[in-house]
Amino acid sequence: MNSIHASMNSEAVMREVTDIISSKLSDVGLMFRIFSRTKSEESLNKKLKSDSEYGINKKIQDIIGIRVVLYFNDDIDTVRHIISTEFKERENDVSIDKNKNDEFKATRFNIVYELNENLTKTLNRNDCKHLIDNTFELQIRTIFSEGWHEVEHDLRYKCKNDWLKLDNESRRLNGVYATLETSEWTMIKIFDEISYAHYLNKEWSAMLRQKFRLRFTNDTLPEEIKTIFDSDNLLGKSFFRLDRTELIIDMNKRGFFFPLSLQNLIFFANITKIKDERINILTPDIMVEAMT
């Protein structure tokens, strides 16, 4: 019978993958938490016993599991895009539920990624190559849904007999999830409305903070940039109308590595999108050269 013995190799790979993902998401200022685990020896061998196909026609793909938990649900696709520039998706092993218009329920957003060559060498041992795939599983959730999933998994999914003939209570628990999902979208709408109010009042730093919702190292614009915005409302409008997701993805694509201050965000957006000469004069040459 196939069996797997515990190894430190998977722990080392898990830490490196976690560091890579965390670094990439932090570089663009996304608000997130990241969790990781490797399957225990007991869990791995239990999985092997559950399916005789392991080691013959399929391998265990989730010996390493990474979970990214986001503050905002409009960042889910952005995070997937960023991680997919670092690791190759296994297209046939993507589990993303499609929501129906007339129902609320927990949705999976699980993706299996291939490890690069170096990480594969670290992971694989001669006695388990036929059992363990060179992959890790990524789950993406939001903070609101994370808490619900944990409760639902531990107290309903793992205790199915406790819920027999209690359809009304089960439906009410799903209703809690519906409320949380609605609250997530409402929260983003509130931030958008706050940003617009600050735009109308020419409160440029507040406008940008609330619009982009990122972890800024410095969240106040210098007076020289404020003065330019105050003198040209159309320029302020151009920055207000920037597509947040598009800008974050572009920052990742161009390898943005500067401290993420409001000022540097303005400089980057101006280099790549707005192209105002007054802002360009203030932009450090090193950023112009690196981001162009």
Coordinates of all heavy atoms in Angstrom, one line a residue, residues 53-113:
E53 N -6.4 5.3 -6.9 CA -5.9 5.8 -8.1 C -4.6 6.6 -7.8 O -3.8 6.9 -8.8 CB -6.9 6.7 -8.8 CG -8.1 5.9 -9.5 CD -7.6 5.0 -10.6 OE1 -7.0 5.5 -11.5 OE2 -7.8 3.8 -10.4
Y54 N -4.4 7.1 -6.6 CA -3.2 7.8 -6.3 C -2.0 7.0 -6.5 O -1.9 5.8 -6.0 CB -3.2 8.3 -4.8 CG -4.1 9.5 -4.6 CD1 -5.3 9.5 -3.8 CD2 -3.9 10.7 -5.3 CE1 -6.1 10.6 -3.6 CE2 -4.7 11.8 -5.1 CZ -5.8 11.7 -4.2 OH -6.6 12.8 -4.1
G55 N -1.0 7.5 -7.2 CA 0.2 6.8 -7.5 C 0.1 6.0 -8.8 O 1.1 5.5 -9.3
I56 N -1.1 6.0 -9.4 CA -1.3 5.3 -10.6 C -1.7 6.3 -11.7 O -1.0 6.5 -12.7 CB -2.4 4.2 -10.5 CG1 -2.0 3.2 -9.4 CG2 -2.6 3.4 -11.8 CD1 -3.0 2.1 -9.1
N57 N -2.9 6.8 -11.6 CA -3.4 7.8 -12.6 C -3.5 9.2 -12.1 O -3.9 10.1 -12.9 CB -4.8 7.3 -13.1 CG -4.7 6.0 -13.8 OD1 -3.9 5.8 -14.6 ND2 -5.7 5.1 -13.5
K58 N -3.2 9.4 -10.8 CA -3.2 10.8 -10.3 C -2.3 10.9 -9.1 O -1.9 9.9 -8.5 CB -4.7 11.2 -10.0 CG -5.3 10.5 -8.8 CD -6.8 11.1 -8.7 CE -7.5 10.5 -7.5 NZ -8.8 11.0 -7.3
K59 N -2.0 12.2 -8.8 CA -1.2 12.5 -7.6 C -1.9 13.5 -6.7 O -2.8 14.2 -7.1 CB 0.1 13.1 -8.2 CG 1.0 12.2 -9.1 CD 2.2 13.0 -9.5 CE 3.0 12.1 -10.5 NZ 4.3 12.8 -10.8
I60 N -1.4 13.6 -5.5 CA -1.9 14.5 -4.5 C -1.3 15.9 -4.9 O -0.1 16.1 -5.1 CB -1.4 14.2 -3.1 CG1 -2.1 12.9 -2.6 CG2 -1.7 15.3 -2.1 CD1 -1.6 12.4 -1.3
Q61 N -2.3 16.9 -5.1 CA -1.9 18.2 -5.6 C -1.9 19.3 -4.5 O -1.3 20.4 -4.7 CB -2.9 18.7 -6.6 CG -2.9 17.8 -7.9 CD -3.8 18.3 -9.0 OE1 -5.0 18.7 -8.7 NE2 -3.4 18.4 -10.2
D62 N -2.4 18.9 -3.3 CA -2.5 20.0 -2.3 C -1.7 19.7 -1.0 O -2.1 20.0 0.1 CB -4.0 20.2 -1.9 CG -4.6 19.0 -1.3 OD1 -4.1 17.9 -1.4 OD2 -5.7 19.1 -0.7
I63 N -0.5 19.0 -1.2 CA 0.3 18.8 0.0 C 0.7 20.2 0.6 O 0.9 20.3 1.8 CB 1.6 18.0 -0.4 CG1 2.4 17.7 0.9 CG2 2.5 18.8 -1.4 CD1 3.5 16.7 0.7
I64 N 0.7 21.2 -0.3 CA 0.9 22.6 0.2 C -0.4 23.4 -0.1 O -0.9 23.4 -1.3 CB 2.1 23.3 -0.5 CG1 3.4 22.5 -0.2 CG2 2.2 24.8 -0.2 CD1 4.6 22.9 -1.0
G65 N -0.9 24.0 0.9 CA -2.1 24.9 0.7 C -1.8 26.3 1.1 O -1.3 26.5 2.2
I66 N -2.2 27.2 0.3 CA -2.0 28.7 0.6 C -3.4 29.3 0.5 O -4.2 29.0 -0.4 CB -1.1 29.4 -0.5 CG1 0.2 28.6 -0.7 CG2 -0.9 30.8 -0.1 CD1 1.2 28.7 0.5
R67 N -3.7 30.1 1.5 CA -5.0 30.9 1.5 C -4.7 32.4 1.6 O -4.0 32.8 2.6 CB -5.8 30.4 2.7 CG -7.2 31.1 2.7 CD -8.1 30.6 3.8 NE -8.3 29.2 3.7 CZ -8.8 28.5 4.6 NH1 -9.1 29.0 5.8 NH2 -9.1 27.2 4.5
V68 N -5.2 33.1 0.6 CA -5.1 34.6 0.7 C -6.4 35.1 1.0 O -7.4 34.8 0.4 CB -4.6 35.1 -0.7 CG1 -4.6 36.7 -0.7 CG2 -3.2 34.7 -1.0
V69 N -6.5 35.9 2.1 CA -7.7 36.4 2.6 C -7.7 38.0 2.4 O -6.8 38.6 2.9 CB -8.0 36.1 4.1 CG1 -9.3 36.7 4.6 CG2 -7.9 34.6 4.3
L70 N -8.7 38.5 1.6 CA -8.6 39.9 1.2 C -9.6 40.7 2.0 O -10.7 40.2 2.4 CB -9.0 39.9 -0.3 CG -8.0 39.2 -1.2 CD1 -8.6 39.1 -2.6 CD2 -6.7 39.9 -1.3
Y71 N -9.3 42.0 2.1 CA -10.2 42.9 2.8 C -11.4 43.3 1.8 O -12.5 43.6 2.3 CB -9.5 44.2 3.2 CG -8.6 44.1 4.3 CD1 -7.9 42.9 4.6 CD2 -8.4 45.2 5.2 CE1 -7.0 42.8 5.7 CE2 -7.5 45.1 6.3 CZ -6.9 43.9 6.5 OH -6.0 43.8 7.6
F72 N -11.1 43.3 0.5 CA -12.2 43.7 -0.4 C -12.4 42.7 -1.5 O -11.4 42.2 -2.1 CB -11.7 45.0 -1.1 CG -11.5 46.1 -0.1 CD1 -10.2 46.6 0.2 CD2 -12.5 46.7 0.6 CE1 -9.9 47.6 1.1 CE2 -12.3 47.7 1.5 CZ -11.0 48.2 1.8
N73 N -13.6 42.4 -1.8 CA -13.9 41.3 -2.8 C -13.6 41.7 -4.2 O -13.6 40.8 -5.1 CB -15.3 40.7 -2.6 CG -16.4 41.7 -2.8 OD1 -16.1 42.9 -3.1 ND2 -17.6 41.3 -2.6
D74 N -13.5 43.0 -4.5 CA -13.1 43.3 -5.9 C -11.6 43.1 -6.2 O -11.1 43.4 -7.3 CB -13.5 44.8 -6.2 CG -12.9 45.8 -5.3 OD1 -12.4 45.5 -4.3 OD2 -12.9 47.0 -5.7
D75 N -10.9 42.6 -5.2 CA -9.5 42.3 -5.4 C -9.2 40.8 -5.7 O -8.1 40.4 -6.0 CB -8.6 42.6 -4.1 CG -8.4 44.1 -4.0 OD1 -8.4 44.8 -5.0 OD2 -8.3 44.6 -2.8
I76 N -10.3 40.0 -5.7 CA -10.1 38.6 -5.9 C -9.5 38.3 -7.3 O -8.4 37.6 -7.4 CB -11.4 37.8 -5.8 CG1 -11.9 37.8 -4.3 CG2 -11.3 36.4 -6.3 CD1 -13.2 37.2 -4.1
D77 N -10.0 38.8 -8.4 CA -9.5 38.6 -9.7 C -8.1 39.2 -9.9 O -7.2 38.7 -10.6 CB -10.4 39.1 -10.8 CG -11.7 38.3 -10.9 OD1 -11.6 37.0 -10.6 OD2 -12.8 38.8 -11.2
T78 N -7.9 40.3 -9.2 CA -6.6 41.0 -9.3 C -5.5 40.1 -8.7 O -4.4 39.9 -9.2 CB -6.6 42.3 -8.5 OG1 -7.6 43.2 -9.1 CG2 -5.3 43.0 -8.6
V79 N -5.8 39.5 -7.5 CA -4.8 38.6 -6.9 C -4.6 37.4 -7.7 O -3.4 36.9 -7.9 CB -5.3 38.2 -5.5 CG1 -4.5 37.0 -4.9 CG2 -5.3 39.4 -4.5
R80 N -5.6 36.8 -8.3 CA -5.4 35.7 -9.2 C -4.5 36.1 -10.3 O -3.6 35.3 -10.7 CB -6.7 35.2 -9.7 CG -6.6 34.0 -10.7 CD -7.9 33.6 -11.4 NE -7.7 32.5 -12.2 CZ -8.7 31.9 -13.0 NH1 -9.9 32.5 -12.9 NH2 -8.5 30.9 -13.7
H81 N -4.7 37.2 -10.9 CA -3.9 37.7 -12.1 C -2.4 37.8 -11.6 O -1.5 37.4 -12.3 CB -4.4 39.0 -12.6 CG -3.6 39.6 -13.7 ND1 -4.0 39.3 -15.0 CD2 -2.5 40.3 -13.8 CE1 -3.1 39.9 -15.8 NE2 -2.2 40.5 -15.1
I82 N -2.2 38.4 -10.5 CA -0.8 38.6 -10.0 C -0.1 37.3 -9.7 O 1.0 37.1 -10.2 CB -0.8 39.5 -8.8 CG1 -1.2 40.9 -9.1 CG2 0.6 39.5 -8.1 CD1 -1.4 41.9 -7.9
I83 N -0.8 36.4 -9.1 CA -0.1 35.1 -8.7 C 0.1 34.3 -10.0 O 1.1 33.6 -10.1 CB -1.0 34.3 -7.7 CG1 -1.0 35.1 -6.4 CG2 -0.4 32.9 -7.4 CD1 -1.9 34.5 -5.3
S84 N -0.8 34.4 -11.0 CA -0.7 33.7 -12.2 C 0.4 34.2 -13.1 O 0.8 33.6 -14.1 CB -2.0 33.7 -13.0 OG -3.0 33.0 -12.2
T85 N 1.0 35.4 -12.7 CA 2.2 35.8 -13.5 C 3.5 35.2 -12.9 O 4.6 35.3 -13.5 CB 2.4 37.4 -13.4 OG1 2.5 37.8 -12.1 CG2 1.1 38.0 -14.0
E86 N 3.4 34.6 -11.7 CA 4.5 34.0 -11.0 C 4.5 32.5 -11.1 O 5.6 31.9 -11.2 CB 4.5 34.4 -9.5 CG 4.7 35.9 -9.2 CD 6.1 36.3 -9.7 OE1 7.1 35.6 -9.4 OE2 6.1 37.4 -10.3
F87 N 3.3 31.9 -11.1 CA 3.2 30.4 -11.2 C 2.2 30.1 -12.3 O 1.2 30.8 -12.5 CB 2.7 29.9 -9.8 CG 3.7 30.1 -8.7 CD1 3.4 31.2 -7.8 CD2 4.8 29.4 -8.5 CE1 4.3 31.5 -6.8 CE2 5.6 29.6 -7.4 CZ 5.4 30.7 -6.6
K88 N 2.3 28.9 -12.9 CA 1.5 28.5 -14.0 C 0.2 27.8 -13.4 O 0.4 26.8 -12.6 CB 2.2 27.5 -14.9 CG 1.4 27.1 -16.1 CD 2.2 26.1 -17.0 CE 1.4 25.6 -18.1 NZ 2.1 24.7 -19.0
E89 N -0.9 28.2 -13.8 CA -2.2 27.6 -13.4 C -2.3 26.2 -14.1 O -2.0 26.1 -15.3 CB -3.4 28.4 -13.8 CG -3.6 29.6 -12.9 CD -5.0 30.3 -13.3 OE1 -5.8 29.6 -13.9 OE2 -5.1 31.5 -12.9
R90 N -2.8 25.3 -13.4 CA -3.3 24.0 -14.0 C -4.8 24.3 -14.4 O -5.7 24.2 -13.6 CB -3.2 22.9 -13.0 CG -1.8 22.4 -12.7 CD -1.4 21.4 -13.8 NE -0.1 20.8 -13.5 CZ 0.2 19.8 -12.8 NH1 -0.8 19.1 -12.2 NH2 1.4 19.3 -12.6
E91 N -4.9 24.5 -15.6 CA -6.3 25.0 -16.1 C -7.4 23.9 -15.8 O -8.5 24.3 -15.6 CB -6.2 25.2 -17.6 CG -5.3 26.4 -18.0 CD -5.3 26.7 -19.5 OE1 -6.1 26.0 -20.2 OE2 -4.6 27.6 -19.9
N92 N -7.0 22.7 -15.9 CA -8.0 21.6 -15.7 C -8.3 21.4 -14.2 O -9.2 20.6 -13.8 CB -7.6 20.3 -16.3 CG -7.5 20.4 -17.8 OD1 -8.2 21.1 -18.4 ND2 -6.6 19.6 -18.4
D93 N -7.6 22.1 -13.3 CA -7.8 21.9 -11.9 C -8.2 23.2 -11.1 O -7.9 23.3 -10.0 CB -6.5 21.3 -11.2 CG -6.1 20.0 -11.8 OD1 -6.9 19.1 -11.9 OD2 -4.9 19.9 -12.3
V94 N -8.9 24.0 -11.9 CA -9.4 25.3 -11.3 C -10.8 25.0 -10.8 O -11.6 24.5 -11.6 CB -9.4 26.4 -12.3 CG1 -10.1 27.7 -11.7 CG2 -7.9 26.8 -12.7
S95 N -11.1 25.3 -9.6 CA -12.5 25.2 -9.0 C -13.0 26.5 -8.6 O -12.7 27.0 -7.5 CB -12.4 24.2 -7.8 OG -12.0 22.9 -8.2
I96 N -13.7 27.2 -9.5 CA -14.3 28.5 -9.2 C -15.8 28.4 -9.5 O -16.2 28.2 -10.6 CB -13.7 29.6 -10.0 CG1 -12.2 29.7 -9.8 CG2 -14.3 30.9 -9.8 CD1 -11.4 30.7 -10.7
D97 N -16.6 28.5 -8.4 CA -18.0 28.4 -8.6 C -18.6 29.6 -9.2 O -18.2 30.8 -8.9 CB -18.7 28.2 -7.2 CG -18.3 26.8 -6.6 OD1 -18.0 25.9 -7.3 OD2 -18.3 26.7 -5.3
K98 N -19.6 29.4 -10.1 CA -20.3 30.5 -10.7 C -21.6 30.8 -9.9 O -22.4 29.9 -9.8 CB -20.6 30.2 -12.2 CG -19.4 30.0 -13.0 CD -18.5 31.3 -13.1 CE -17.3 31.0 -14.1 NZ -16.5 32.2 -14.2
N99 N -21.7 32.0 -9.5 CA -23.0 32.4 -8.7 C -24.2 32.5 -9.6 O -24.0 33.0 -10.7 CB -22.8 33.7 -7.9 CG -21.8 33.5 -6.8 OD1 -21.7 32.5 -6.2 ND2 -21.0 34.5 -6.6
K100 N -25.3 32.0 -9.2 CA -26.5 32.2 -9.9 C -27.2 33.5 -9.4 O -27.1 33.9 -8.3 CB -27.5 31.0 -9.7 CG -26.9 29.7 -10.3 CD -27.9 28.5 -10.1 CE -27.3 27.2 -10.7 NZ -28.2 26.1 -10.5
N101 N -28.0 34.1 -10.3 CA -28.7 35.3 -9.9 C -29.7 35.2 -8.8 O -30.0 36.1 -8.0 CB -29.4 35.9 -11.1 CG -28.4 36.3 -12.2 OD1 -27.3 36.7 -11.9 ND2 -28.9 36.4 -13.5
D102 N -30.2 33.9 -8.6 CA -31.4 33.8 -7.7 C -30.9 33.0 -6.4 O -31.8 32.5 -5.7 CB -32.5 33.0 -8.4 CG -32.1 31.7 -8.9 OD1 -30.9 31.4 -8.9 OD2 -33.0 30.9 -9.3
E103 N -29.6 32.9 -6.1 CA -29.2 32.2 -4.9 C -27.9 32.8 -4.3 O -27.1 33.3 -5.0 CB -29.1 30.7 -5.2 CG -27.9 30.4 -6.0 CD -27.8 28.8 -6.2 OE1 -28.6 28.1 -5.7 OE2 -26.8 28.4 -6.8
F104 N -27.8 32.7 -3.0 CA -26.6 33.0 -2.3 C -26.1 31.7 -1.7 O -26.9 31.0 -1.0 CB -26.9 34.0 -1.2 CG -27.0 35.4 -1.7 CD1 -28.3 36.0 -2.0 CD2 -25.9 36.2 -1.9 CE1 -28.4 37.3 -2.4 CE2 -26.0 37.5 -2.3 CZ -27.3 38.1 -2.6
K105 N -24.8 31.4 -1.9 CA -24.2 30.3 -1.2 C -22.7 30.4 -1.2 O -22.2 31.2 -2.0 CB -24.6 28.9 -1.9 CG -24.1 28.8 -3.3 CD -24.5 27.4 -3.9 CE -23.8 27.2 -5.3 NZ -24.1 25.9 -5.8
A106 N -22.1 29.7 -0.4 CA -20.6 29.7 -0.3 C -20.0 29.3 -1.7 O -20.5 28.4 -2.3 CB -20.1 28.8 0.7
T107 N -19.0 30.1 -2.1 CA -18.4 29.8 -3.4 C -16.9 29.4 -3.2 O -16.2 30.0 -2.4 CB -18.5 31.0 -4.3 OG1 -17.9 32.2 -3.7 CG2 -20.0 31.4 -4.7
R108 N -16.5 28.5 -4.0 CA -15.1 28.1 -4.0 C -14.3 29.0 -5.0 O -14.8 29.3 -6.1 CB -14.9 26.6 -4.4 CG -15.5 25.6 -3.4 CD -15.4 24.2 -4.0 NE -16.1 24.2 -5.3 CZ -16.1 23.1 -6.1 NH1 -15.2 22.1 -5.9 NH2 -16.8 23.1 -7.2
F109 N -13.1 29.3 -4.6 CA -12.2 30.0 -5.5 C -10.8 29.4 -5.3 O -10.0 29.9 -4.6 CB -12.1 31.5 -5.3 CG -11.7 32.3 -6.5 CD1 -12.6 33.0 -7.3 CD2 -10.4 32.3 -6.9 CE1 -12.2 33.7 -8.4 CE2 -10.0 33.0 -8.0 CZ -10.9 33.7 -8.7
N110 N -10.7 28.2 -5.8 CA -9.5 27.3 -5.6 C -8.8 27.1 -6.9 O -9.4 26.8 -7.9 CB -9.8 26.0 -5.0 CG -10.6 26.1 -3.7 OD1 -10.6 27.2 -3.1 ND2 -11.2 25.0 -3.2
I111 N -7.5 27.3 -6.9 CA -6.6 27.2 -8.1 C -5.4 26.3 -7.8 O -4.8 26.5 -6.7 CB -6.2 28.6 -8.6 CG1 -7.4 29.5 -8.9 CG2 -5.4 28.4 -9.9 CD1 -7.0 30.9 -9.2
V112 N -5.1 25.4 -8.7 CA -3.9 24.6 -8.5 C -2.8 25.2 -9.4 O -3.0 25.4 -10.6 CB -4.1 23.1 -8.9 CG1 -2.8 22.3 -8.9 CG2 -5.1 22.5 -7.9
Y113 N -1.6 25.5 -8.8 CA -0.5 26.0 -9.5 C 0.7 25.1 -9.5 O 0.9 24.3 -8.6 CB 0.0 27.3 -8.8 CG -0.9 28.5 -9.1 CD1 -1.9 28.9 -8.1 CD2 -0.9 29.3 -10.2 CE1 -2.7 30.0 -8.3 CE2 -1.7 30.4 -10.4 CZ -2.6 30.7 -9.5 OH -3.4 31.8 -9.7

